[in-house]
Amino acid sequence: MSESSAEGVAAAAQAAVQAADSAAPGSWRRAGLAGAAIGVVAAGAAAGVAIERLTVGRGMRKKARLALDAAGPYGALRGTPGTALADDGTELYFETDEVDPEESASAGKQRRKLFGRRSPTAPVTVVFSHGYCLNQDSWHFQRLALRGAVRSVHWDQRSHGRSARGMAQADGTPVDIDQLGRDLKAVIDATAPEGPLVLVGHSMGGMTVMALADQYPELIRDRVVGVALVGTSSGHMGEVNFGLPVAGMNAVRRVLPRVLRTLGSQTELVERGRRATADLFAGIVKRYSFGSRDVDPAVARFAERLIEGTPIDVVAEFYPAFQDHDKAAALQIFAEVPVLVLAGTKDLVTPSSHSEAIAALLPDAELVIVPDAGHLVMLELPDLVNGRLTELLARVGAVPPRRNVDRHGSTAQRGG
């Protein structure tokens, strides 16, 4: 993106503040620019998108979105539902998938090999934590691949998906990553009070796993047998440029906090605006979610639906937490645990250099940098992610070695 384009992004963000400040409750047209700005933030960055997306083929794209929504199978997997209570009273929604009895027998032999006399009476439980502006369905392909083979827990972080709005946030307390770590502990206590654990986190979910380790190191030492950190960061998120030149990113940083505060107080207005600028929003989501231009349209639309389902006030209250996130020191708690660190080279939200920094602090970790993959690598290249995750699970005895999960993927693997 050129310097002039970056300046345009900053100007658009400033205009979004003015639009949200001045728009009357029924002025949905004036909310369009504000909605577009929030679409940028919800995608995890600020950037420009070609203006012709707003005019060329708009009707055709609308029909395509409706068709994909009607036919898309993604996000339809459901397990046994339940709720855990966070320390501030927030109800956290989770679903559990149990092991199929036939799978359990073969996996049990592998567990006995690995653990010996310490072979756990409870099966290994794999706990999946999703990222910012997503929900548990973002793990669709991994859930499908492992369904029946491993006991798994998928949960929605507070204020996301089917979980309740954060009680502390309703009282004006800002969200921080430490709170998310305590939330994860509450989910573990409710779903897997005993037995070995494998923790899998994407983006904000990976930060949640780090916060859990920071606050409950004894849990990691006593029970966690494996960790997968996908497209995440241990800190320095304030230095990410999201693919913008320095001048443009500095301009965006100056106005973004105010944009969020202002638009967070204009929820109904902005949500109308976001719907009115659906084409622009879709382009931004694709740019910041995937590295490939030829990603499956149904998968791209699925990602768009996940992100657009996050209310603007939730987007606003979570964003500042990333600037303060610093859990590099906590990574040492994972030093004796098998760790998979995986990221795409075209991740503009949590760049692969952040994963490399995590691996540098965990020299025994397996580092996988995937060429040409974006931030939602688990949706973009499910076969590859499933394979690496299954290898980790086999190492810790959660599944038999060399379990074939490739049949569950839907997009082409590009290596890595």
Side-chain angles (χ1 to χ4, degrees), residues 69-232:
D69 287 346
Y74 308 128
L77 299 176
R78 301 271 66 93
T80 302
T83 56
L85 206 61
D87 57 4
D88 66 348
T90 302
E91 290 189 348
L92 305 169
Y93 178 83
F94 64 79
E95 293 180 2
T96 306
D97 293 341
E98 299 293 343
V99 178
D100 179 270
E102 294 183 4
E103 294 280 4
S104 183
S106 58
K109 295 178 182 178
Q110 175 67 11
R111 283 199 299 273
R112 284 192 294 275
K113 278 185 183 179
L114 188 74
F115 296 107
R117 293 183 179 180
R118 296 182 294 110
S119 181
T121 55
V124 175
T125 299
V126 186
V127 184
F128 288 85
S129 299
H130 68 78
Y132 178 48
C133 296
L134 301 171
N135 63 44
Q136 63 177 270
D137 292 339
S138 62
W139 295 110
H140 174 87
F141 292 111
Q142 292 66 51
R143 187 173 189 173
L144 182 61
L146 296 171
R147 204 170 176 87
V150 65
R151 185 175 192 267
S152 63
V153 173
H154 294 78
W155 68 293
D156 292 333
Q157 303 235 34
R158 64 174 49 220
S159 304
H160 289 70
R162 294 174 175 82
S163 284
R165 185 66 180 274
M167 293 285 287
Q169 284 66 65
D171 295 334
T173 302
V175 179
D176 59 28
I177 302 298
D178 284 340
Q179 176 65 69
L180 304 185
R182 294 194 296 275
D183 289 352
L184 176 54
K185 177 63 161 56
V187 170
I188 290 172
D189 288 345
T191 60
E194 61 179 6
L197 302 166
V198 174
L199 305 176
V200 183
H202 168 251
S203 194
M204 182 178 76
M207 301 175 195
T208 299
V209 170
M210 297 175 210
L212 175 77
D214 194 30
Q215 296 171 94
Y216 304 98
E218 69 286 350
L219 173 68
I220 307 301
R221 297 187 186 104
D222 294 344
R223 297 185 54 199
V224 174
V225 297
V227 175
L229 301 172
V230 181
T232 190

Side-chain angles (χ1 to χ4, degrees), residues 122-389:
V124 175
T125 299
V126 186
V127 184
F128 288 85
S129 299
H130 68 78
Y132 178 48
C133 296
L134 301 171
N135 63 44
Q136 63 177 270
D137 292 339
S138 62
W139 295 110
H140 174 87
F141 292 111
Q142 292 66 51
R143 187 173 189 173
L144 182 61
L146 296 171
R147 204 170 176 87
V150 65
R151 185 175 192 267
S152 63
V153 173
H154 294 78
W155 68 293
D156 292 333
Q157 303 235 34
R158 64 174 49 220
S159 304
H160 289 70
R162 294 174 175 82
S163 284
R165 185 66 180 274
M167 293 285 287
Q169 284 66 65
D171 295 334
T173 302
V175 179
D176 59 28
I177 302 298
D178 284 340
Q179 176 65 69
L180 304 185
R182 294 194 296 275
D183 289 352
L184 176 54
K185 177 63 161 56
V187 170
I188 290 172
D189 288 345
T191 60
E194 61 179 6
L197 302 166
V198 174
L199 305 176
V200 183
H202 168 251
S203 194
M204 182 178 76
M207 301 175 195
T208 299
V209 170
M210 297 175 210
L212 175 77
D214 194 30
Q215 296 171 94
Y216 304 98
E218 69 286 350
L219 173 68
I220 307 301
R221 297 187 186 104
D222 294 344
R223 297 185 54 199
V224 174
V225 297
V227 175
L229 301 172
V230 181
T232 190
S233 172
S234 61
H236 300 287
M237 285 296 294
E239 300 173 7
V240 176
N241 64 17
F242 302 110
L244 290 171
V246 174
M249 193 61 224
N250 287 342
V252 168
R253 286 195 182 107
R254 285 197 300 271
V255 299
L256 189 54
R258 190 181 170 211
V259 170
L260 286 170
R261 286 195 301 271
T262 303
L263 298 180
S265 65
Q266 300 274 353
T267 304
E268 182 178 351
L269 178 67
V270 174
E271 292 306 329
R272 289 187 205 172
R274 189 155 66 172
R275 290 191 294 272
T277 56
D279 290 333
L280 177 60
F281 183 78
I284 293 167
V285 169
K286 187 172 182 180
R287 171 173 167 78
Y288 284 93
S289 296
F290 306 108
S292 171
R293 292 186 177 182
D294 59 354
V295 65
D296 181 348
V299 172
R301 175 57 187 158
F302 176 49
E304 183 186 341
R305 289 199 341 257
L306 288 173
I307 294 171
E308 70 184 4
T310 306
I312 175 55
D313 43 357
V314 174
V315 175
E317 70 189 21
F318 269 73
Y319 185 79
F322 304 119
Q323 309 306 303
D324 299 327
H325 169 62
D326 183 359
K327 289 291 183 269
L331 291 173
Q332 290 306 311
I333 299 166
F334 297 129
E336 303 301 320
V337 177
V339 176
L340 167 67
V341 182
L342 186 148
T345 59
K346 292 188 177 179
D347 189 334
L348 299 177
V349 180
T350 50
S352 57
S353 59
H354 286 233
S355 289
E356 291 170 347
I358 292 172
L361 294 171
L362 294 170
D364 292 332
E366 178 188 10
L367 175 64
V368 179
I369 302 299
V370 185
D372 300 325
H375 188 57
L376 299 188
V377 60
M378 70 282 191
L379 291 177
E380 186 174 9
L381 294 174
D383 291 356
L384 186 148
V385 175
N386 291 350
R388 295 293 187 168
L389 182 57

